[in-house]
Amino acid sequence: MREGESSVPVKPTKYIVVTGGVLSGLGKGITTSSIGKLLKSRGLKLAAVKIDPYVNIDAGTMNPFEHGEVFVLDDGGEVDQDLGNYERFLDLPMGRANNITTGKAYKAVIDRERRGDYLGKTVQIIPHVTNEIRDHIKRAAKAADADVCLVEVGGTVGDIESAPFLEALRQLHLEVGHKNMMFVHTTLVPVMGAVGEQKTKPTQHSVMEMRRVGLHPDMLVCRSETRLDPKVREKLANFCDVDKEAVISAPDARTIYEVPLLLEEQGVADWIVKRLDLHPEGRDMGAWKTFVDRVVAPTHHVTIGVVGKYTDLADAYLSIKEAFVHAGAAQDTKVVVRWIDAEDVERATDPADILGSLDGVLVPGGFGPRGAEGKIAAIRFAREKKVPFLGICFGFQLATAEYARHVLGLADANSTEINPTTQHPVIDLLPGHTADEAKGATMRLGASEVRLAHGSRVAQLYHADVIYERHRHRWEVNPGYISKLEGAGLRYTGRDPSGELMEMLELPDHPYFVASQFHPEFKSRPERPAPTFAGLVEAARRRVEARHPKE
Ligand code: GLN
């Protein structure tokens, strides 16, 4: 495509842009996902693009402490957790193309400039970078053959970083026309003073900020603790020049999954359908409602400890948290997740002091030595005390090391990631991989085939012999130790198609001891929980019932 040119999709795709004002963390992602859910329930075909105005190419190199979890897609894309929410709410597989960052947009333009594609012209933010952004969004919509393409703009309107994106969207609006594109602005309505008055000024200012860049919101989604007062709603409509019916109240919900239902009640989707002249086919939120009812009023309770490193930041394990919500709902069970710092377990004289009251233990993915010994201690505790256990990625690797140490008697068995000079590198880089590459894009990433041993526990859980799950790792079980480990009772019941890479392990004489090299949490969906999470919750429930038979 030449400079300045752009391809208009044949079918008029409608665009819904979601921006955020006043402050970050207002739940733009949940708003976007919820609107999408309502439109999907009306039979419309969706695409979604998340704009991240940071300069990183993707989230792959970002520290979970700072940024929350890195979500991994089927195609190996490492993205922001908002794409995880799109997948969970919309049950729509996303790919790298569904995310655009400042880094990606500039890189595409700079690469083209180096190739000489601009024929000696001065390359500028406008039009070259803005065209790239616009084309990226249109390509994503076209690839999905979407009726509606959702575009979520990360950051807050008024940030310098998001300016080129907003300009690109302004141009797209002009190009596709007003009836094909609308803007939803999420904002905060704080409560002040003794009388608890809902204040509209921050929203007014934030809408003014949008107008400054040539955008006009069609709908306001107002976050507040309680529902918007009708008078406040009217005032917002009037001062922000938005239809009163399109001033939406988004009070605190009991669960994020309830938000689509709260928006539906207020006619959000009907308003959008009219505004964009969409042609929906029916609507069905029945199964979703059943799921939400189970999440908010469960009969049973279990407590599961997640022994990790980023335990101060629940966002760092967001997909794990959500996978527990899905698995719990399917079993009418509330999963109380206790976030446990692996270093506390390491320091404890007896791990039982910290882990003793748990109904299950999960050791999640991780990188580097900090806390690794605590995780190994937690795995040993779960194995020996027969507490249901699930290991994921690093948790799978450390379960192998733990078994090698305490059952095979290889005292310093370890991953070479943790101890490069161990006598027994049971987890190692396979030939062709070097430790230098361990950071960044050279990991084994994305979905690939896993074959499950016939009749194994994991094959029963998946009701399948072949599965596709997502990976994000570099180290592998060292093939030199497999027959010894299996000889001592550990069973590798999932392998890659070549049979060389170990993917899942289980212990037969244990209520539930399962681990996987892949991350099952990324493919867990509200109505289709990850099988190994379901297995853990079920085993934890049995343990509770065995302890308190009358419950
Ligand atoms: N650090 C380990 C590896 O790179 C595990 C990665 C993970 O848990 N995501 O292989």
Side-chain angles (χ1 to χ4, degrees):
M1 202 181 305
R2 271 197 315 255
E3 176 208 332
E5 257 183 36
S6 40
S7 60
V8 182
V10 188
K11 181 170 76 173
T13 299
K14 311 286 176 164
Y15 293 89
I16 301 176
V17 176
V18 180
T19 55
V22 185
L23 44 86
S24 62
L26 279 182
K28 273 195 307 275
I30 299 301
T31 302
T32 310
S33 305
S34 298
I35 290 174
K37 177 76 205 169
L38 295 178
L39 296 175
K40 194 173 176 193
S41 80
R42 285 162 165 78
L44 295 164
K45 211 164 166 194
L46 301 180
V49 178
K50 170 76 198 292
I51 291 174
D52 286 310
Y54 44 69
V55 183
N56 308 57
I57 298 286
D58 61 33
T61 53
M62 290 181 156
N63 182 345
F65 265 132
E66 206 179 301
H67 193 70
E69 171 191 272
V70 175
F71 192 82
V72 181
L73 304 171
D74 276 343
D75 70 0
E78 297 175 281
V79 293
D80 202 87
Q81 48 197 313
D82 286 313
L83 270 80
N85 281 325
Y86 301 167
E87 286 203 337
R88 286 185 279 265
F89 277 67
L90 309 177
D91 199 9
L92 201 66
M94 296 283 136
R96 281 193 171 90
N98 298 96
N99 177 229
I100 180 161
T101 64
T102 298
K104 262 192 208 172
Y106 276 78
K107 187 170 187 306
V109 171
I110 291 167
D111 286 350
R112 229 175 276 141
E113 186 273 336
R114 290 291 86 184
R115 281 200 307 268
D117 291 2
Y118 294 109
L119 307 170
K121 283 224 173 107
T122 307
V123 181
Q124 294 178 298
I125 297 177
I126 302 169
H128 303 97
V129 173
T130 48
N131 281 357
E132 171 57 31
I133 294 165
R134 200 161 44 136
D135 290 340
H136 188 118
I137 294 168
K138 287 195 296 185
R139 279 194 302 270
K142 199 173 176 185
D145 187 29
D147 299 314
V148 179
C149 179
L150 303 159
V151 182
E152 178 188 345
V153 188
T156 307
V157 169
D159 293 349
I160 289 177
E161 294 168 319
S162 52
F165 293 101
L166 296 176
E167 169 59 14
L169 291 164
R170 188 196 62 75
Q171 292 176 18
L172 185 64
H173 178 245
L174 187 68
E175 180 189 320
V176 302
H178 188 62
K179 68 174 190 309
N180 293 324
M181 185 156 172
M182 63 170 278
F183 291 83
V184 177
H185 192 55
T186 55
T187 164
L188 177 76
V189 177
V191 170
M192 285 296 288
V195 283
E197 194 189 347
Q198 293 179 323
K199 294 292 195 184
T200 63
K201 198 71 88 187
T203 302
Q204 293 182 46
H205 279 277
S206 157
V207 168
M208 256 148 69
E209 202 60 54
M210 276 192 84
R211 289 214 196 103
R212 260 163 33 90
V213 295
L215 302 177
H216 189 109
D218 297 277
M219 179 176 275
L220 297 176
V221 175
C222 306
R223 291 282 293 114
S224 55
E225 275 164 43
T226 52
R227 280 179 191 263
L228 283 184
D229 188 293
K231 281 207 193 80
V232 171
R233 208 171 165 193
E234 212 154 300
K235 192 168 167 189
L236 281 168
N238 196 16
F239 288 3
C240 300
D241 195 21
V242 168
D243 180 3
K244 205 176 97 193
E245 302 304 310
V247 179
I248 306 302
S249 190
D252 292 346
R254 291 173 293 178
T255 152
I256 53 170
Y257 299 106
E258 196 181 21
V259 177
L261 304 174
L262 297 174
L263 299 188
E264 180 76 320
E265 265 170 40
Q266 298 175 70
V268 167
D270 293 336
W271 195 92
I272 291 173
V273 159
K274 238 188 276 159
R275 162 71 176 78
L276 293 176
D277 189 22
L278 288 161
H279 302 282
E281 286 161 24
R283 78 173 76 169
D284 184 10
M285 289 292 286
W288 190 266
K289 191 163 182 313
T290 308
F291 163 72
V292 173
D293 288 344
R294 290 208 181 122
V295 173
V296 296
T299 312
H300 309 275
H301 283 73
V302 297
T303 305
I304 297 201
V306 174
V307 183
K309 168 157 121 172
Y310 306 110
T311 47
D312 288 342
L313 190 73
D315 267 9
Y317 300 111
L318 189 82
S319 296
I320 287 177
K321 197 174 106 196
E322 297 310 322
F324 276 128
V325 175
H326 310 158
Q331 297 176 48
D332 196 13
T333 299
K334 162 98 183 143
V335 180
V336 178
V337 179
R338 196 173 298 160
W339 305 99
I340 296 168
D341 187 338
E343 285 182 295
D344 288 343
V345 182
E346 207 166 300
R347 282 186 290 262
T349 28
D350 183 356
D353 296 343
I354 298 176
L355 310 173
S357 64
L358 299 173
D359 308 314
V361 170
L362 185 145
V363 175
F367 294 83
R370 191 166 65 78
E373 288 303 320
K375 293 178 186 176
I376 291 180
I379 296 167
R380 181 181 194 174
F381 175 85
R383 183 177 58 77
E384 292 180 347
K385 306 288 183 227
K386 305 232 183 279
V387 179
F389 165 76
L390 177 61
I392 296 175
C393 205
F394 200 36
F396 164 88
Q397 298 173 351
L398 295 179
T400 296
E402 191 279 322
Y403 208 77
R405 282 188 194 179
H406 305 122
V407 181
L408 271 185
L410 309 176
D412 84 331
N414 214 331
S415 165
T416 52
E417 179 185 5
I418 310 308
N419 177 7
T421 60
T422 169
Q423 300 268 304
H424 295 288
V426 291
I427 303 295
D428 204 358
L429 294 169
L430 295 191
H433 298 169
T434 68
D436 299 343
E437 294 169 312
K439 292 189 194 113
T442 55
M443 281 188 286
R444 185 170 171 230
L445 278 170
S448 58
E449 183 179 326
V450 176
R451 300 203 177 147
L452 305 179
H454 197 70
S456 60
R457 180 93 190 234
V458 295
Q460 283 164 13
L461 287 168
Y462 274 89
H463 300 294
D465 292 333
V466 178
I467 59 173
Y468 292 83
E469 289 281 12
R470 297 181 187 171
H471 298 75
R472 184 174 189 251
H473 70 108
R474 184 136 189 93
W475 273 264
E476 301 282 355
V477 177
N478 184 340
Y481 287 91
I482 291 165
S483 62
K484 282 190 207 115
L485 287 159
E486 292 211 304
L490 192 63
R491 294 188 61 209
Y492 287 100
T493 46
R495 300 183 185 214
D496 83 324
S498 77
E500 279 160 29
L501 305 182
M502 297 304 108
E503 291 276 11
M504 297 195 88
L505 63 77
E506 61 186 79
L507 274 180
D509 295 322
H510 192 285
Y512 191 80
F513 193 96
V514 170
S516 64
Q517 181 60 79
F518 56 77
H519 290 265
E521 69 275 25
F522 294 137
K523 282 180 69 172
S524 185
R525 302 285 175 264
E527 295 157 67
R528 226 171 37 255
T532 50
F533 277 80
L536 178 65
V537 171
E538 198 201 338
R541 241 184 79 181
R542 288 229 185 91
R543 185 177 163 83
V544 173
E545 277 156 19
R547 276 175 163 181
H548 313 281
K550 267 177 254 136
E551 231 187 302

